Amino acid sequence: MPAFPEASAAAVRDSQLRFNLRKATHTIRGKRAAVVGELDDWAELRAAGKAIKDETLRNLDRYLLQLEEAVTRAGGTVHWAADAAEANRIVAGLVKATGETSVVKVKSMATQEIGLNEALAAEGVAAYETDLAELIVQLGDDWPSHILVPAIHRNRAEIREIFLREMPDAPRDLADDPRALAEAARLHLRDRFLSARVAVSGANFMVAETGTLVVLESEGNGRMCLTLPETLISVVGIEKVVPTWRDLEVFLQLLPRSSTGERMNPYTSTWTGVTPGDGPREFHLVLLDNGRTSVLADEVGRQALRCIRCSACLNVCPVYERAGGHAYGSVYPGPIGAILTPQLRGLDSPLDNSLPYASTLCGACYDVCPVAIDIPSVLVDLRAKAVRAGGHRAERAGMRAARWLFSREVRLARAQRLAGRLRRFVPGRLPGPGAAWTDTRDLPPIPEESFRDWWTRTSGGAKP
Ligand code: SF4
């Protein structure tokens, strides 16, 4: 993909997309603010969430081993995957060992991150998404553009068109109202749920002390996937572990309020290994690294691993609201994507190198983040790394020139005087790469006399 400015150009010109994004993000934003405002101890909850995540990340090796032991004790099998290829290989092998050629899926960022659906398709296994928004994305041969609402860029009329085109069982007189669309999806998915023998999920949290996995969702599709099939495979990033159930309690309050703007999400499913006569007979947990340990090694950037994927930062971001999610070229769009993707993938591609600049640094993302990730600080740190990694030549040259100018007082004074004399010849629009700056900003007028000279003249020669 091209760098973020080019990748976002089409979205910025698409007025329908901007209308959809604005309407959806402002609605969720309002709901979040209302339910967060109900709690007197929100600041304390937020601080507790941050502290629990930090302590867990500091001792991640210990908690992961504790988790593995607990899952194994409960009858599950733990697999460790260093990267996407290994995780995909493990999951494909497990599915093929069951003899099945299809799986049902619970919405999962981790499996999107590793491209699991495509990897399974290459092995002859069809993966069916069961979350409504993910289903819309999959049927539309599209990409998710929001963490919580992957089809946020689609409106009802577009969804109706996709259903009529891709769902043979959809009624031909399907209306574009939410109830009719949800009912069509429900009927379409029912057969899949009842015939599926293997399910693939992610998890919002993993409790180390008991080996329990937790999924929060709104539609009940997750509950069906987690309980009906005979084999359940969960692919989860290693940063999703929390030490105890008491720790989990904090996140069960922070997450629903921050994501859907609800006091409590409709379905919270938990499962621990296997239980004879109840739920899947086989359970596999694939613990995914895929760049997370190198993020953990970075003192500034590691706070991104605190993220609980609530999407509150997306809903308040002025850049995301205009550019949409596709321009970020990753399953993690918006402010969290701008700091997580370049850390997970590196800064080598034009897109990943430009992502730390996809922000105004206004700080709205930090204000709403339920685990207090200081996204602006990580962005600034990543910008320095992006410059060091190459690219941004104009910026580097500009900074070098500024250092040369500002490092000697006499040099700066002379430059100011010269600029004052030549002020009539300074163009309103800069040439070359500088044009990108003046296209959207006015150059401030250069004063005839600098402050330094004015001071010296009016204070009898005293230096400023
Ligand atoms: S960075 Fe914070 S606000 Fe954004 S998705 Fe993660 S937890 Fe939510």
Side-chain angles (χ1 to χ4, degrees):
M1 278 187 72
F4 185 82
E6 291 92 69
S8 57
V12 170
R13 283 194 297 271
D14 185 340
S15 55
Q16 176 69 55
L17 176 66
R18 288 179 60 171
F19 175 81
N20 295 356
L21 283 169
R22 183 180 163 78
K23 190 159 184 283
T25 54
H26 281 242
T27 304
I28 308 173
R29 184 197 295 197
K31 283 176 70 183
R32 176 209 161 268
V35 292
V36 165
E38 291 173 354
L39 294 184
D40 295 335
D41 63 346
W42 182 255
E44 287 83 359
L45 268 174
R46 186 176 186 242
K50 172 181 184 288
I52 292 166
K53 281 280 179 180
D54 280 345
E55 196 274 336
T56 310
L57 289 170
R58 263 198 306 276
N59 299 290
L60 193 60
D61 52 344
R62 180 156 61 79
Y63 289 122
L64 285 172
L65 291 175
Q66 187 186 2
L67 175 81
E68 179 184 35
E69 199 186 311
V71 170
T72 311
R73 206 171 43 237
T77 308
V78 176
H79 309 258
W80 298 79
D83 54 24
E86 188 173 9
N88 286 333
R89 210 166 39 243
I90 293 169
V91 178
L94 290 170
V95 177
K96 279 163 61 179
T98 66
E100 292 298 309
T101 53
S102 68
V103 299
V104 285
K105 280 188 71 208
V106 190
K107 178 173 176 285
S108 147
M109 308 294 300
T111 58
Q112 287 170 2
E113 177 189 321
I114 60 175
L116 180 66
N117 290 8
E118 294 75 15
L120 287 178
E123 298 284 340
V125 176
Y128 297 112
E129 297 289 349
T130 63
D131 172 87
L132 177 54
E134 284 295 343
L135 177 70
I136 295 164
V137 169
Q138 187 176 44
L139 292 177
D141 199 16
D142 201 354
W143 283 92
S145 65
H146 190 279
I147 290 177
L148 177 71
V149 200
I152 198 170
H153 54 288
R154 298 285 192 191
N155 60 25
R156 285 190 262 157
E158 291 173 311
I159 295 167
R160 175 179 171 274
E161 266 175 44
I162 293 171
F163 280 10
L164 286 175
R165 198 175 61 233
E166 302 294 332
M167 266 186 198
D169 41 0
R172 292 300 99 186
D173 60 348
L174 181 64
D176 68 0
D177 73 273
R179 184 182 291 267
L181 294 171
E183 180 63 7
R186 200 172 73 86
L187 294 174
H188 175 76
L189 289 170
R190 183 143 294 261
D191 280 348
R192 300 241 188 273
F193 286 131
L194 295 178
S195 58
R197 292 163 59 112
V198 183
V200 175
S201 84
N204 295 99
F205 305 100
M206 304 182 285
V207 185
E209 65 177 348
T210 55
T212 304
L213 273 73
V214 186
V215 157
L216 278 65
E217 44 122 6
S218 301
E219 297 169 16
N221 66 302
R223 179 70 58 87
M224 303 274 268
C225 288
L226 298 167
T227 51
L228 290 178
E230 290 166 12
T231 302
L232 173 60
I233 305 166
S234 301
V235 183
V236 190
I238 51 175
E239 81 283 17
K240 294 293 180 69
V241 68
V242 294
T244 66
W245 281 81
R246 286 208 62 182
D247 298 323
L248 179 67
E249 174 203 326
V250 172
F251 297 106
L252 292 186
Q253 296 173 76
L254 287 172
L255 183 51
R257 286 177 194 259
S258 299
S259 59
T260 48
E262 293 168 305
R263 295 183 188 96
M264 193 180 166
N265 50 292
Y267 293 88
T268 301
S269 300
T270 66
W271 66 103
T272 311
V274 289
T275 307
D278 182 11
R281 291 209 289 270
E282 249 188 72
F283 168 57
H284 297 271
L285 169 60
V286 181
L287 289 172
L288 177 71
D289 184 332
N290 205 30
R292 285 158 175 79
T293 45
S294 29
V295 180
L296 190 59
D298 188 297
E299 279 183 25
V300 180
R302 69 170 62 128
Q303 56 185 304
L305 296 178
R306 292 207 293 264
C307 178
I308 55 173
R309 312 278 191 267
C310 71
S311 76
C313 56
L314 278 66
N315 299 328
V316 296
C317 177
V319 175
Y320 175 83
E321 188 184 317
R322 285 153 185 86
H326 291 155
Y328 294 81
S330 147
V331 294
Y332 305 113
I336 182 60
I339 61 168
L340 192 56
T341 307
Q343 293 197 82
L344 289 176
R345 296 201 300 218
L347 289 155
D348 302 328
S349 76
L351 174 66
D352 295 339
N353 198 275
S354 68
L355 284 177
Y357 294 84
S359 169
T360 62
L361 301 181
C362 70
C365 48
Y366 180 32
D367 288 346
V368 296
C369 179
V371 283
I373 299 174
D374 186 353
I375 294 175
S377 294
V378 182
L379 285 168
V380 171
D381 185 63
L382 281 170
R383 287 181 187 186
K385 291 187 173 109
V387 170
R388 279 200 292 276
H392 310 284
R393 274 197 286 271
E395 186 180 342
R396 205 162 22 175
M399 285 299 162
R400 278 209 189 113
R403 187 173 60 187
W404 178 83
L405 192 63
F406 286 103
S407 60
R408 291 275 302 276
E409 186 193 337
V410 63
R411 224 178 253 161
L412 179 62
R414 276 192 201 137
Q416 285 174 328
R417 244 169 257 139
L418 184 66
R421 264 184 228 130
L422 299 178
R423 56 201 281 269
R424 269 176 300 144
F425 305 106
V426 175
R429 191 169 179 276
L430 291 175
W437 179 266
T438 48
D439 275 351
T440 49
R441 298 167 185 84
D442 294 327
L443 269 186
I446 299 174
E448 197 172 343
E449 183 179 34
S450 70
F451 172 77
R452 179 187 304 273
D453 286 347
W454 171 83
W455 178 271
T456 311
R457 180 169 59 77
T458 56
S459 62
K463 282 200 166 188

